[in-house]
Amino acid sequence: MAMPMRRVLIANRGEIAVRVARACRELGLETVAVYSDADRDLRHVSLCDASLRLGPPAARGSYLNKTLLVAAARATGSDAIHPGYGFLAEDAEFADLCAQSRITFIGPAPDAIRQMGDKIAAKKLAESIGVPLVPGGTLDGGKEIAALAAGLPYPVLLKAAAGGGGRGMRVAGSAEEFAASFLQARSEAKEAFGDGTIYWERYIGNARHIEVQVLSDAHGNHAHLGERDCTLQRRHQKLLEESPSALLTEEVRSKLCEAAVQISRALDYRSAGTVEFLYDADRGSFHFIEMNTRIQVEHPVTELVTGVDLVREQLRIAMGHPLDPQVAHALRRGWAIECRINAEDPDRDFAPCPGRITRFVSPGGPGVRVDTHCEAGTVVSPYYDSMIAKLIVWDIDRERARLRMLRALREFVVEGIKTTIPFHIAILQSPDFVSSAYNTRWVGEKAKEAFA
Ligand code: ADP
Ligand code: ADP
Ligand code: MG
């Protein structure tokens, strides 16, 4: 079953393209970078063995252009494509196209992407094997809006079936609010995902976001690497993640991780994936929400507590190798925290802050990792998401990891643009963070105080 792999085209940009290139290099694989006109000078381009221009900055003409990417792989003699996260990472059609072109897509089979990419189908699969869901249901597009609104257990969250990246989601607090929220969610979903299918879930007001990292190979082995707590979010987008979660008892942890492995098994999954749950702190219960069939932004916190290189495992699995024995025996040790450093101005409601970075000094020292594509002179472009770096630290327990993160954040110098570094410093110092007493609404409701 071994698939020969020699040269990997990285169909992405920025920090994740750099991350993938590093894993390839350590495995002795050649790398091909692609770039839009906005990204010619970025780190991932100079780091790879070869590079190819895709087109204009807008993603449609570059990083989202499927036929162009497959043609680029052909033209450069690449036998595999790594999609990173975002862009085409969860696009089943793209995975199909790769297969038709005899290019290895480094990720799961197209059918697994398709099934989990439809969040309604994903919930059905989880339900069929007895994994608890957030109560919810579909909304029949043929019905009158007033009929859809009637009888729902408000507050509800209206979500896009094809959603991702926190988009296409609106709370409706009451039947009166339903129509406006529904229309907003639907038009945002159509715009972002080309599919306006909306479903509803009971809105969990006091929620923690806990997700489980899974790894599965092409030989039927399914493993998990523990959980991550990604509760600190702004507008449903993660800001800070940690592993393990301070919330879980060993008993609950093993149940959740086992549920995630069962979902991978039921899907006949292959590659790295993440099964996401919400913990309802008022009811003390866990509920499946979705599965992401790709590498996640926050994968490094799992790497630091387990010692497993998740991108290397993705590549090895795609080559047909069984899971490294290290995965099954991975001991989870210590605590890791990640802060997403974004080019945004926390003083101006996190307005994006593109521009030229004039000075960039990464923190270092024991237990500190920085994943970034930036350096002095890098121009942060307005065309893509605003993350410029991920700062990840490890230490033996949560409090020491917190203090190490504060130290590293204060060491981090970025000049020329505004960043979220001061915001992270405020969060890490707040008593609620210290005692891990927060939910997914905390940043929206309490962080202003902490930041002032
Ligand atoms: P993660 O949860 O890995 O932690 P995010 O939800 O933060 O993932 O998304 C990672 C990146 O991928 C972000 O840039 C986000 O905008 C993008 N993204 C996620 N899902 C989709 C999607 N379905 N379509 C387009 N972009 C997406
Ligand atoms: P995405 O595909 O955009 O990542 P998710 O379904 O994973 O969408 O939800 C993103 C975030 O939205 C969650 O981490 C959580 O903070 C919030 N969320 C999702 N579903 C619910 C719900 N039923 N109740 C409360 N919050 C929710
Ligand atoms: Mg999610």
Side-chain angles (χ1 to χ4, degrees):
M1 203 181 308
M3 298 283 293
M5 199 185 286
R6 197 174 60 88
R7 185 175 293 164
V8 178
L9 181 136
I10 303 166
N12 214 300
R13 64 182 299 281
E15 75 84 20
I16 193 61
V18 170
R19 170 73 188 87
V20 172
R22 286 176 170 150
C24 289
R25 187 148 291 175
E26 289 176 15
L27 282 172
L29 297 166
E30 293 173 19
T31 49
V32 178
V34 290
Y35 59 92
S36 73
D37 290 336
D39 287 349
R40 190 188 315 263
D41 297 327
L42 282 197
R43 188 80 184 280
H44 72 275
V45 179
S46 52
L47 202 63
C48 287
D49 301 304
S51 64
L52 204 69
R53 172 186 177 266
L54 288 174
R60 219 172 308 226
S62 52
Y63 303 106
L64 283 175
N65 190 325
K66 297 170 210 181
T67 48
L68 192 57
L69 284 159
V70 169
R74 282 233 182 83
T76 54
S78 306
D79 35 32
I81 293 185
H82 195 301
Y85 54 68
F87 298 124
L88 297 172
E90 293 176 281
D91 189 312
E93 253 181 52
F94 182 59
D96 277 332
L97 194 61
C98 290
Q100 285 156 19
S101 314
R102 299 184 172 279
I103 294 166
T104 302
F105 176 82
I106 299 165
D111 283 345
I113 301 177
R114 204 167 273 122
Q115 193 170 359
M116 295 295 109
D118 175 351
K119 292 181 174 183
I120 298 173
K123 289 182 76 173
K124 280 196 182 125
L125 176 98
E127 189 174 32
S128 74
I129 56 169
V131 174
L133 312 178
V134 183
T138 54
L139 293 166
D140 177 359
K143 272 194 190 160
E144 293 283 319
I145 288 188
L148 294 177
L152 297 181
Y154 293 99
V156 297
L157 187 61
L158 303 176
K159 301 173 75 171
R167 282 172 299 168
M169 245 183 279
R170 287 287 183 286
V171 181
S174 63
E176 289 69 48
E177 272 176 43
F178 180 91
S181 301
F182 179 75
L183 294 173
Q184 280 171 353
R186 195 171 63 181
S187 71
E188 193 173 310
K190 269 192 192 145
E191 167 74 26
F193 314 113
D195 175 356
T197 309
I198 300 295
Y199 65 106
W200 69 271
E201 280 179 357
R202 182 163 62 70
Y203 180 69
I204 302 179
N206 191 6
R208 300 276 293 221
H209 174 114
I210 314 274
E211 60 185 33
V212 177
Q213 176 70 52
V214 292
L215 269 182
S216 305
D217 63 19
H219 306 272
N221 300 306
H222 302 274
H224 71 80
L225 287 170
E227 82 283 9
R228 297 184 282 259
D229 189 323
C230 315
T231 299
L232 282 176
Q233 304 180 353
R234 186 174 164 274
R235 301 200 173 140
H236 310 304
Q237 299 232 20
K238 299 160 185 167
L239 293 177
L240 180 154
E241 303 97 344
E242 57 188 302
S243 183
S245 167
L247 189 82
L248 301 188
T249 61
E250 271 314 316
E251 194 195 336
V252 177
R253 172 173 295 119
S254 70
K255 270 195 190 144
L256 267 196
C257 292
E258 198 39 51
V261 168
Q262 273 170 20
I263 289 173
S264 320
R265 203 171 276 130
L267 253 181
D268 201 14
Y269 194 72
R270 185 194 68 214
S271 196
T274 299
V275 181
E276 296 191 334
F277 299 90
L278 289 184
Y279 172 68
D280 184 334
D282 297 333
R283 292 177 169 81
S285 51
F286 276 94
H287 309 267
F288 169 83
I289 49 170
E290 67 153 345
M291 177 170 186
N292 294 321
T293 54
R294 57 172 161 90
I295 194 81
Q296 303 263 129
V297 173
E298 59 275 21
H299 75 277
V301 293
T302 301
E303 295 186 324
L304 292 192
V305 296
T306 61
V308 172
D309 182 325
L310 288 165
V311 180
R312 177 161 69 204
E313 280 307 299
Q314 278 190 306
L315 291 162
R316 289 184 66 262
I317 291 165
M319 288 187 251
H321 297 302
L323 288 183
D324 193 297
Q326 188 209 6
V327 171
H329 303 292
L331 295 176
R332 300 195 291 279
R333 184 166 168 268
W335 212 281
I337 304 177
E338 170 180 278
C339 290
R340 297 190 189 195
I341 312 298
N342 294 342
E344 292 169 2
D345 185 351
D347 283 322
R348 288 178 37 239
D349 200 28
F350 296 86
C353 236
R356 182 180 295 273
I357 297 175
T358 53
R359 196 158 169 248
F360 190 91
V361 186
S362 285
V368 175
R369 165 173 167 182
V370 180
D371 280 18
T372 184
H373 57 284
C374 293
E375 58 203 351
T378 300
V379 175
V380 179
S381 141
Y383 291 98
Y384 315 105
D385 78 50
S386 58
M387 196 172 73
I388 58 164
K390 303 189 307 205
L391 173 56
I392 314 106
V393 305
W394 180 92
D395 209 328
I396 200 69
D397 61 30
R398 187 173 189 271
E399 177 58 9
R400 284 182 225 193
R402 184 184 76 86
L403 293 172
R404 179 163 278 171
M405 179 59 93
L406 272 170
R407 185 273 289 172
L409 285 163
R410 288 177 175 133
E411 229 175 277
F412 209 154
V413 182
V414 183
E415 288 172 9
I417 57 167
K418 299 272 189 201
T419 77
T420 48
I421 291 172
F423 183 74
H424 282 295
I425 292 175
I427 288 184
L428 280 147
Q429 286 178 299
S430 73
D432 289 345
F433 185 83
V434 174
S435 60
S436 197
Y438 47 80
N439 58 28
T440 52
R441 282 163 31 190
W442 188 87
V443 170
E445 290 172 358
K446 302 266 180 66
K448 265 216 174 80
E449 274 166 52
F451 193 50

